[in-house]
Amino acid sequence: MNIENKKILIVGGTSGFGLEIAKLALQNNATVTIIGRDKDRLEEALQSLKLVNTSVTGYIVEATNVNQLNYFFEQNGSFDHVVSMLGGAMDGGFLDNTVENIEKIVKGKFFNNLQLAQIAKKHLNKKGSIILTAGSGGSPATASGAYVGNHAIDQLVQGLALELAPDYRVNAVSPTWTPTGLWRDMDDHDKDEQIKSFSDAVPLKRLGSLQEVGSGYLYLMSNDFITGQTMHIDGGIDLR
């Protein structure tokens, strides 16, 4: 994957998929910047990443805060690729969740990524790209706000791709449930039950690995003829 010497920003690169993408990019000799809002996780992530390649820096930024985001970009110049892990997850349908909770999840998926894209496009190098993160699986009755938000990201990617072409590209990756840091508060028993349940539902009968998902982001960075697409790395769960 030809991303050598490319400058890559990973929003939410301190754990889970974001951290794995950073590792893979560094292995391919890219220059990586990660941002996160937790100081301890950022420091731990930087320590592990520097064992792979020292071409990595990190900053504490609340990426949903427009002022902090603008200041970060103003201080750190331009990037070839901006990867976003913004967005939360939720269980349950529309009737067993509050409007406020559903609104929060949709905002985290759609509006926070829209805000990031509006700012990041002013700091992209020519022929650069933005890669967002959606999600596969579930249904409106089992993942209400997250389901709506994921489909909103699909539409956002398509709209942005047309608006930013031909100078820039916009895509997304859509993994299915994986036990990443997003689920760090889940106890071991519930996590084991969730793993079994999801594995049974996936046609390939297993969950994807961090590396399998992370490699999709690198592919979208390196293929200059892909834009407006959501890449589903989900073992076929959406075929059900």
Side-chain angles (χ1 to χ4, degrees), residues 5-22:
N5 298 322
K6 297 296 186 181
K7 291 182 62 182
I8 299 170
L9 169 65
I10 303 172
V11 179
T14 61
S15 64
F17 294 136
L19 182 60
E20 184 66 22
I21 297 162

Side-chain angles (χ1 to χ4, degrees), residues 4 7 26 49 61 78 93-94 118 131 136 149 157 161 178 229:
E4 185 173 359
K7 291 182 62 182
L26 289 169
L49 292 173
V61 180
S78 58
F94 292 109
Q118 289 178 337
I131 306 174
S136 298
V157 162
T178 307
Q229 305 301 309

Side-chain angles (χ1 to χ4, degrees), residues 61-72 86 112 115 119:
V61 180
E62 175 48 78
T64 63
N65 182 299
V66 65
N67 293 324
Q68 290 190 33
L69 206 52
N70 273 314
Y71 182 78
F72 167 80
L86 290 175
N112 288 338
Q115 176 176 272
I119 295 171

